[in-house]
Amino acid sequence: MLTSQGVGLQFIAACIGAILGELVAGKGSDWFMLYRTKRAGGNREAEMRLPFAFPGYLLSVSPL
């Protein structure tokens, strides 16, 4: 059995992962959108961000 402190410590990994994910994914998505916009001759479409999301979906799957 975990104590109340042990239960609270279980959430540290999720909090750190969420913070790092927001920082990396935000800047990475903006960079990827800029790259795709330049490649498309200045034409910007929302669908250009979709290929950048697939690695995030694969990494977030839990093997439980």
Side-chain angles (χ1 to χ4, degrees), residues 53-63:
F54 293 132
Y57 291 136
L58 294 175
L59 290 174
S60 67
V61 174
S62 176

Side-chain angles (χ1 to χ4, degrees), residues 2-13:
L2 291 175
T3 63
S4 58
Q5 184 179 13
V7 172
L9 286 174
Q10 288 181 328
F11 295 105
I12 287 179

Side-chain angles (χ1 to χ4, degrees), residues 25 29 32 47-60:
S29 179
F32 188 74
E47 297 85 23
M48 291 180 175
R49 289 189 194 265
L50 287 176
F52 189 74
F54 293 132
Y57 291 136
L58 294 175
L59 290 174
S60 67

